[in-house]
mmCIF file of all heavy atoms in Angstrom:
data_model
loop_
_atom_site.group_PDB
_atom_site.id
_atom_site.type_symbol
_atom_site.label_atom_id
_atom_site.label_comp_id
_atom_site.label_asym_id
_atom_site.label_seq_id
_atom_site.Cartn_x
_atom_site.Cartn_y
_atom_site.Cartn_z
ATOM 1 N N PRO A 1 0.811 -1.226 0.000
ATOM 2 C CA PRO A 1 0.000 0.000 0.000
ATOM 3 C C PRO A 1 0.843 1.276 0.000
ATOM 4 O O PRO A 1 0.498 2.244 -0.679
ATOM 5 C CB PRO A 1 -0.822 -0.123 1.289
ATOM 6 C CG PRO A 1 -0.938 -1.588 1.516
ATOM 7 C CD PRO A 1 0.375 -2.156 1.066
ATOM 8 N N GLU A 2 1.975 1.261 0.714
ATOM 9 C CA GLU A 2 2.852 2.434 0.720
ATOM 10 C C GLU A 2 3.473 2.658 -0.656
ATOM 11 O O GLU A 2 3.540 3.795 -1.147
ATOM 12 C CB GLU A 2 3.938 2.266 1.778
ATOM 13 C CG GLU A 2 3.427 2.407 3.210
ATOM 14 C CD GLU A 2 4.496 2.105 4.239
ATOM 15 O OE1 GLU A 2 5.652 1.807 3.839
ATOM 16 O OE2 GLU A 2 4.188 2.161 5.444
ATOM 17 N N ALA A 3 3.930 1.590 -1.289
ATOM 18 C CA ALA A 3 4.500 1.719 -2.633
ATOM 19 C C ALA A 3 3.444 2.180 -3.623
ATOM 20 O O ALA A 3 3.721 2.982 -4.523
ATOM 21 C CB ALA A 3 5.092 0.371 -3.073
ATOM 22 N N THR A 4 2.225 1.685 -3.462
ATOM 23 C CA THR A 4 1.126 2.090 -4.338
ATOM 24 C C THR A 4 0.826 3.568 -4.184
ATOM 25 O O THR A 4 0.663 4.284 -5.187
ATOM 26 C CB THR A 4 -0.135 1.257 -4.023
ATOM 27 O OG1 THR A 4 0.144 -0.125 -4.270
ATOM 28 C CG2 THR A 4 -1.310 1.690 -4.897
ATOM 29 N N ARG A 5 0.754 4.046 -2.945
ATOM 30 C CA ARG A 5 0.486 5.468 -2.717
ATOM 31 C C ARG A 5 1.586 6.334 -3.323
ATOM 32 O O ARG A 5 1.310 7.377 -3.934
ATOM 33 C CB ARG A 5 0.350 5.743 -1.221
ATOM 34 C CG ARG A 5 -0.959 5.225 -0.613
ATOM 35 C CD ARG A 5 -1.178 5.774 0.777
ATOM 36 N NE ARG A 5 -0.229 5.246 1.740
ATOM 37 C CZ ARG A 5 -0.413 4.132 2.445
ATOM 38 N NH1 ARG A 5 -1.511 3.414 2.283
ATOM 39 N NH2 ARG A 5 0.504 3.717 3.317
ATOM 40 N N ALA A 6 2.840 5.896 -3.166
ATOM 41 C CA ALA A 6 3.952 6.662 -3.734
ATOM 42 C C ALA A 6 3.886 6.691 -5.258
ATOM 43 O O ALA A 6 4.154 7.726 -5.885
ATOM 44 C CB ALA A 6 5.274 6.061 -3.273
ATOM 45 N N ALA A 7 3.526 5.563 -5.858
ATOM 46 C CA ALA A 7 3.434 5.499 -7.318
ATOM 47 C C ALA A 7 2.268 6.320 -7.848
ATOM 48 O O ALA A 7 2.366 6.935 -8.915
ATOM 49 C CB ALA A 7 3.305 4.049 -7.763
ATOM 50 N N ILE A 8 1.170 6.348 -7.118
ATOM 51 C CA ILE A 8 0.028 7.186 -7.524
ATOM 52 C C ILE A 8 0.402 8.654 -7.431
ATOM 53 O O ILE A 8 0.111 9.456 -8.338
ATOM 54 C CB ILE A 8 -1.202 6.865 -6.656
ATOM 55 C CG1 ILE A 8 -1.735 5.467 -6.993
ATOM 56 C CG2 ILE A 8 -2.300 7.909 -6.849
ATOM 57 C CD1 ILE A 8 -2.835 4.980 -6.074
ATOM 58 N N ALA A 9 1.087 9.042 -6.362
ATOM 59 C CA ALA A 9 1.500 10.436 -6.192
ATOM 60 C C ALA A 9 2.507 10.862 -7.252
ATOM 61 O O ALA A 9 2.558 12.028 -7.645
ATOM 62 C CB ALA A 9 2.097 10.625 -4.800
ATOM 63 N N ALA A 10 3.304 9.898 -7.741
ATOM 64 C CA ALA A 10 4.321 10.221 -8.749
ATOM 65 C C ALA A 10 3.713 10.527 -10.110
ATOM 66 O O ALA A 10 4.336 11.211 -10.933
ATOM 67 C CB ALA A 10 5.296 9.052 -8.872
ATOM 68 N N ALA A 11 2.515 10.023 -10.375
ATOM 69 C CA ALA A 11 1.823 10.260 -11.654
ATOM 70 C C ALA A 11 0.346 10.471 -11.361
ATOM 71 O O ALA A 11 -0.490 9.626 -11.719
ATOM 72 C CB ALA A 11 2.045 9.096 -12.608
ATOM 73 N N PRO A 12 -0.009 11.583 -10.714
ATOM 74 C CA PRO A 12 -1.387 11.767 -10.230
ATOM 75 C C PRO A 12 -2.436 11.862 -11.329
ATOM 76 O O PRO A 12 -3.620 11.627 -11.070
ATOM 77 C CB PRO A 12 -1.302 13.074 -9.428
ATOM 78 C CG PRO A 12 -0.102 13.785 -9.982
ATOM 79 C CD PRO A 12 0.862 12.713 -10.365
ATOM 80 N N ASP A 13 -2.021 12.202 -12.538
ATOM 81 C CA ASP A 13 -2.995 12.335 -13.627
ATOM 82 C C ASP A 13 -3.250 11.026 -14.369
ATOM 83 O O ASP A 13 -4.115 10.960 -15.236
ATOM 84 C CB ASP A 13 -2.522 13.403 -14.625
ATOM 85 C CG ASP A 13 -2.469 14.787 -14.003
ATOM 86 O OD1 ASP A 13 -3.266 15.054 -13.085
ATOM 87 O OD2 ASP A 13 -1.623 15.599 -14.424
ATOM 88 N N ALA A 14 -2.478 9.993 -14.037
ATOM 89 C CA ALA A 14 -2.645 8.693 -14.691
ATOM 90 C C ALA A 14 -3.650 7.864 -13.896
ATOM 91 O O ALA A 14 -3.445 7.601 -12.711
ATOM 92 C CB ALA A 14 -1.304 7.966 -14.783
ATOM 93 N N THR A 15 -4.718 7.458 -14.543
ATOM 94 C CA THR A 15 -5.788 6.725 -13.880
ATOM 95 C C THR A 15 -5.503 5.231 -13.882
ATOM 96 O O THR A 15 -5.123 4.660 -14.905
ATOM 97 C CB THR A 15 -7.130 6.982 -14.576
ATOM 98 O OG1 THR A 15 -7.388 8.387 -14.582
ATOM 99 C CG2 THR A 15 -8.266 6.263 -13.866
ATOM 100 N N ILE A 16 -5.714 4.601 -12.745
ATOM 101 C CA ILE A 16 -5.572 3.146 -12.647
ATOM 102 C C ILE A 16 -6.948 2.528 -12.871
ATOM 103 O O ILE A 16 -7.879 2.787 -12.105
ATOM 104 C CB ILE A 16 -5.029 2.733 -11.272
ATOM 105 C CG1 ILE A 16 -3.657 3.360 -11.038
ATOM 106 C CG2 ILE A 16 -4.939 1.202 -11.174
ATOM 107 C CD1 ILE A 16 -3.100 3.096 -9.665
ATOM 108 N N PRO A 17 -7.110 1.735 -13.922
ATOM 109 C CA PRO A 17 -8.421 1.124 -14.192
ATOM 110 C C PRO A 17 -8.901 0.266 -13.032
ATOM 111 O O PRO A 17 -8.102 -0.329 -12.307
ATOM 112 C CB PRO A 17 -8.177 0.281 -15.449
ATOM 113 C CG PRO A 17 -6.991 0.918 -16.106
ATOM 114 C CD PRO A 17 -6.131 1.404 -14.966
ATOM 115 N N GLU A 18 -10.194 0.206 -12.868
ATOM 116 C CA GLU A 18 -10.793 -0.575 -11.798
ATOM 117 C C GLU A 18 -10.385 -2.050 -11.917
ATOM 118 O O GLU A 18 -10.383 -2.618 -13.006
ATOM 119 C CB GLU A 18 -12.311 -0.462 -11.847
ATOM 120 C CG GLU A 18 -13.021 -1.157 -10.701
ATOM 121 C CD GLU A 18 -14.523 -0.950 -10.731
ATOM 122 O OE1 GLU A 18 -15.001 -0.196 -11.619
ATOM 123 O OE2 GLU A 18 -15.213 -1.545 -9.892
ATOM 124 N N GLY A 19 -10.028 -2.644 -10.803
ATOM 125 C CA GLY A 19 -9.664 -4.051 -10.774
ATOM 126 C C GLY A 19 -8.196 -4.327 -11.007
ATOM 127 O O GLY A 19 -7.765 -5.473 -10.897
ATOM 128 N N MET A 20 -7.396 -3.287 -11.321
ATOM 129 C CA MET A 20 -5.973 -3.473 -11.578
ATOM 130 C C MET A 20 -5.153 -2.977 -10.403
ATOM 131 O O MET A 20 -5.504 -1.999 -9.751
ATOM 132 C CB MET A 20 -5.556 -2.730 -12.860
ATOM 133 C CG MET A 20 -6.049 -3.386 -14.126
ATOM 134 S SD MET A 20 -5.755 -2.394 -15.628
ATOM 135 C CE MET A 20 -3.984 -2.217 -15.603
ATOM 136 N N ASN A 21 -4.030 -3.658 -10.130
ATOM 137 C CA ASN A 21 -3.116 -3.177 -9.101
ATOM 138 C C ASN A 21 -2.041 -2.293 -9.733
ATOM 139 O O ASN A 21 -1.969 -2.152 -10.958
ATOM 140 C CB ASN A 21 -2.518 -4.345 -8.307
ATOM 141 C CG ASN A 21 -1.641 -5.261 -9.153
ATOM 142 O OD1 ASN A 21 -0.739 -4.822 -9.863
ATOM 143 N ND2 ASN A 21 -1.910 -6.566 -9.086
ATOM 144 N N ILE A 22 -1.207 -1.704 -8.910
ATOM 145 C CA ILE A 22 -0.266 -0.700 -9.389
ATOM 146 C C ILE A 22 0.787 -1.292 -10.328
ATOM 147 O O ILE A 22 1.231 -0.635 -11.279
ATOM 148 C CB ILE A 22 0.399 0.038 -8.204
ATOM 149 C CG1 ILE A 22 1.136 1.286 -8.676
ATOM 150 C CG2 ILE A 22 1.316 -0.901 -7.428
ATOM 151 C CD1 ILE A 22 0.249 2.352 -9.268
ATOM 152 N N LEU A 23 1.209 -2.542 -10.097
ATOM 153 C CA LEU A 23 2.195 -3.158 -10.978
ATOM 154 C C LEU A 23 1.596 -3.472 -12.345
ATOM 155 O O LEU A 23 2.255 -3.303 -13.381
ATOM 156 C CB LEU A 23 2.753 -4.428 -10.333
ATOM 157 C CG LEU A 23 3.627 -4.202 -9.098
ATOM 158 C CD1 LEU A 23 3.872 -5.520 -8.377
ATOM 159 C CD2 LEU A 23 4.944 -3.547 -9.469
ATOM 160 N N GLN A 24 0.353 -3.908 -12.352
ATOM 161 C CA GLN A 24 -0.339 -4.125 -13.620
ATOM 162 C C GLN A 24 -0.510 -2.801 -14.364
ATOM 163 O O GLN A 24 -0.334 -2.737 -15.589
ATOM 164 C CB GLN A 24 -1.701 -4.757 -13.373
ATOM 165 C CG GLN A 24 -1.660 -6.165 -12.834
ATOM 166 C CD GLN A 24 -3.032 -6.653 -12.429
ATOM 167 O OE1 GLN A 24 -3.875 -5.896 -11.959
ATOM 168 N NE2 GLN A 24 -3.278 -7.951 -12.602
ATOM 169 N N ALA A 25 -0.850 -1.755 -13.631
ATOM 170 C CA ALA A 25 -1.026 -0.440 -14.254
ATOM 171 C C ALA A 25 0.271 0.037 -14.900
ATOM 172 O O ALA A 25 0.269 0.596 -15.999
ATOM 173 C CB ALA A 25 -1.509 0.577 -13.222
ATOM 174 N N LEU A 26 1.399 -0.207 -14.224
ATOM 175 C CA LEU A 26 2.695 0.173 -14.783
ATOM 176 C C LEU A 26 2.942 -0.532 -16.110
ATOM 177 O O LEU A 26 3.363 0.086 -17.102
ATOM 178 C CB LEU A 26 3.809 -0.156 -13.790
ATOM 179 C CG LEU A 26 5.231 0.138 -14.249
ATOM 180 C CD1 LEU A 26 5.458 1.644 -14.346
ATOM 181 C CD2 LEU A 26 6.246 -0.487 -13.285
ATOM 182 N N SER A 27 2.681 -1.839 -16.156
ATOM 183 C CA SER A 27 2.860 -2.588 -17.394
ATOM 184 C C SER A 27 1.959 -2.066 -18.504
ATOM 185 O O SER A 27 2.379 -1.917 -19.656
ATOM 186 C CB SER A 27 2.566 -4.086 -17.155
ATOM 187 O OG SER A 27 3.529 -4.663 -16.312
ATOM 188 N N ASP A 28 0.719 -1.778 -18.152
ATOM 189 C CA ASP A 28 -0.251 -1.278 -19.127
ATOM 190 C C ASP A 28 0.150 0.097 -19.642
ATOM 191 O O ASP A 28 0.030 0.390 -20.837
ATOM 192 C CB ASP A 28 -1.634 -1.232 -18.482
ATOM 193 C CG ASP A 28 -2.752 -1.093 -19.502
ATOM 194 O OD1 ASP A 28 -2.814 -1.919 -20.431
ATOM 195 O OD2 ASP A 28 -3.567 -0.165 -19.370
ATOM 196 N N GLU A 29 0.648 0.947 -18.755
ATOM 197 C CA GLU A 29 1.019 2.310 -19.139
ATOM 198 C C GLU A 29 2.237 2.335 -20.050
ATOM 199 O O GLU A 29 2.271 3.087 -21.030
ATOM 200 C CB GLU A 29 1.261 3.138 -17.874
ATOM 201 C CG GLU A 29 -0.021 3.482 -17.134
ATOM 202 C CD GLU A 29 0.179 3.873 -15.687
ATOM 203 O OE1 GLU A 29 1.346 3.898 -15.221
ATOM 204 O OE2 GLU A 29 -0.830 4.147 -15.004
ATOM 205 N N VAL A 30 3.235 1.511 -19.751
ATOM 206 C CA VAL A 30 4.423 1.525 -20.606
ATOM 207 C C VAL A 30 4.100 0.936 -21.972
ATOM 208 O O VAL A 30 4.619 1.386 -23.007
ATOM 209 C CB VAL A 30 5.606 0.796 -19.938
ATOM 210 C CG1 VAL A 30 5.420 -0.713 -19.921
ATOM 211 C CG2 VAL A 30 6.920 1.142 -20.624
ATOM 212 N N ARG A 31 3.207 -0.044 -22.011
ATOM 213 C CA ARG A 31 2.829 -0.646 -23.282
ATOM 214 C C ARG A 31 2.089 0.348 -24.177
ATOM 215 O O ARG A 31 2.169 0.271 -25.411
ATOM 216 C CB ARG A 31 1.967 -1.882 -23.037
ATOM 217 C CG ARG A 31 1.651 -2.678 -24.306
ATOM 218 C CD ARG A 31 0.778 -3.883 -24.026
ATOM 219 N NE ARG A 31 1.472 -4.889 -23.240
ATOM 220 C CZ ARG A 31 1.267 -5.127 -21.950
ATOM 221 N NH1 ARG A 31 0.343 -4.439 -21.293
ATOM 222 N NH2 ARG A 31 1.941 -6.051 -21.312
ATOM 223 N N SER A 32 1.372 1.282 -23.577
ATOM 224 C CA SER A 32 0.549 2.209 -24.349
ATOM 225 C C SER A 32 1.272 3.496 -24.743
ATOM 226 O O SER A 32 0.659 4.388 -25.337
ATOM 227 C CB SER A 32 -0.709 2.570 -23.545
ATOM 228 O OG SER A 32 -0.382 3.361 -22.411
#
């Protein structure tokens, strides 16, 4: 949860889709 909060704060305008965790979001974001 601490790493997730830090990662969200680092890119506050990037939305994490519902049902995805922060590591999945990172993979999805770099792919796009």
